[in-house]
Amino acid sequence: MAGPSIALIGAGRMGAALASGWLAGRGKPDIRIQDPKPSETVTEWAGAGKVSLNPEPEPVDVLVIAVKPQVFPKMAESLKPWIGPQTLVLSIMAGTRLKQLTERLGTGHVIRVMPNTPGAIGKGVSVMAKSDIVMAKQLEIAGKLLKPLGEVIGPVDEKHMSVVTGLSGSGPAYVFLMAEAMADAAMAEGLPAELAEQLAALTIEGAAALMVQSDEAPSALRKAVTSPGGTTQAALDILMDEGGMPILMRKAIRAAANRDRELSRDTD
Ligand SMILES: NC(=O)c1ccc[n+]([C@@H]2O[C@H](COP(=O)([O-])OP(=O)(O)OC[C@H]3O[C@@H](n4cnc5c(N)ncnc54)[C@H](OP(=O)(O)O)[C@@H]3O)[C@@H](O)[C@H]2O)c1
């Protein structure tokens, strides 16, 4: 059976990562890409007949919106020709709510998704929220289309999406900051920069892999490497002190979630 016809609006980092995953799958997917300034890769795909680039819009099975959220209100009207009565709209735009998608596009078949940047290498996590009328079959299609970005979670209640944004959407930046801070601290203690940066990145990679593979909670893994009176304990006494990492993270995720709530109000 042929796959769904897909129109991808915006083939930037996220959009191109999705399309490249669809192209790597089996069969010959029907992918139409709309992007006024397509990248070299996208232009090559079109040249090789793998996708059609900037074709005349017509109703498709799935319309995937991957432009920046601030661009969307200006172009929403122009997307309507892609939408028929059965078209599923899948938006990966941060902070654009289901209600806004429905109102601007004139359809209730909408799913919004919060992906994250590791999706560009298939190691991301995408969290879905859907409007009431989205059918199980459409949800399944959405899950399959998001697979190239990594794990797919949901649907969750849309009210959770601001915190999801603060956790998994923005979260990769917190980990990059941690790598930076760990390396800087080691350099300040005299380690050569290259060695410090390499060890910080590899430590985070290894700890993350261990955590994902293990059945134990992160707190149990932490306790397992912390001998009383040892070196890890000395460091954690600082990190977990009053005003330390747990409270900082609490404030950081609250700030990110609040910012998401503000941004989604701005685009009303
Ligand atoms: N990156 C992340 O970590 C992340 C995480 C969660 C959610 N998201 C969401 O994913 C979406 C895409 O992010 P991204 O990082 O992939 O952004 P991006 O790289 O800027 O991609 C957006 C693409 O859309 C194109 N575009 C602009 N106007 C257009 C139009 N009128 N019609 C069609 N295409 C148009 C852009 O072209 P130009 O470059 O020429 O403007 C660009 O190629 C955003 O809504 C963002 O909120 C991203």
Side-chain angles (χ1 to χ4, degrees), residues 185-243:
M187 280 183 253
E189 292 297 316
L191 219 58
E194 203 181 325
L195 180 59
E197 282 161 11
Q198 188 184 23
L199 290 182
L202 290 173
T203 300
I204 288 175
E205 184 188 24
L210 177 66
M211 187 167 55
V212 169
Q213 272 185 26
S214 167
D215 294 331
E216 303 211 64
S219 59
L221 293 170
R222 169 174 57 75
K223 285 175 191 147
V225 294
T226 313
S227 337
T231 56
T232 311
Q233 179 73 61
L236 290 179
D237 283 349
I238 307 281
L239 286 172
M240 299 179 74
D241 195 11
E242 204 181 321

Side-chain angles (χ1 to χ4, degrees), residues 3-7 22 28-32 50-52 58 60-61:
S5 54
I6 309 165
W22 302 332
K28 194 174 178 300
D30 173 359
I31 305 172
R32 303 126 196 239
K50 294 177 176 173
V51 302
S52 63
E58 61 178 359
V60 282
D61 295 323

